[in-house]
Amino acid sequence: QVQVVESGGGLVQPGGSLRLSCAASGSIFSPYVMGWYRQALGKQRELVARISSGGGTTDADSVKGRFTSSTDNTKNTVYLQMNSLKREDTAVYSCNVAGRWGSSWGQGTQVTVSS
């Protein structure tokens, strides 16, 4: 069983930055993919960024140039550095870890961009 815990959300002003962390523990082994998803109120969940244990990344067009994902495989942790935040980035951000064992979700962390 794989456990996933996110942290780092909060309230930030437009143009500000936040860094989210996603730590996976348990029976996790490479290869795997860790993805950040977000769901704004009244909207469907969407992929924000995805990074594999090998380092390959995929970013949504809406965040390219502003968000950067990175991973620390020694800690089974992925980070999402979010810069130049906009009001439309407000959402619950959730982390998913998928591998040969299946898929696991964290509980999510709220990011609110507001002045």
Side-chain angles (χ1 to χ4, degrees), residues 2 27-33 97-103:
V2 175
S27 301
I28 181 171
F29 49 90
S30 298
Y32 57 84
V33 176
V97 181
R100 293 173 183 169
W101 67 88
S103 176

Side-chain angles (χ1 to χ4, degrees), residues 32 34 51-56 69-74 76-79:
Y32 57 84
M34 299 181 79
I51 186 166
S52 72
S53 52
S69 54
S70 60
T71 186
D72 183 343
N73 288 339
T74 63
N76 292 331
T77 299
V78 64
Y79 305 97

Side-chain angles (χ1 to χ4, degrees), residues 45-84:
R45 185 168 59 195
E46 62 175 354
L47 175 68
V48 176
R50 190 163 50 207
I51 186 166
S52 72
S53 52
T57 61
T58 302
D59 298 326
D61 289 341
S62 59
V63 305
K64 284 181 179 177
R66 300 189 298 124
F67 292 10
T68 303
S69 54
S70 60
T71 186
D72 183 343
N73 288 339
T74 63
K75 299 179 181 179
N76 292 331
T77 299
V78 64
Y79 305 97
L80 184 67
Q81 178 65 44
M82 305 186 294
N83 299 326
S84 302

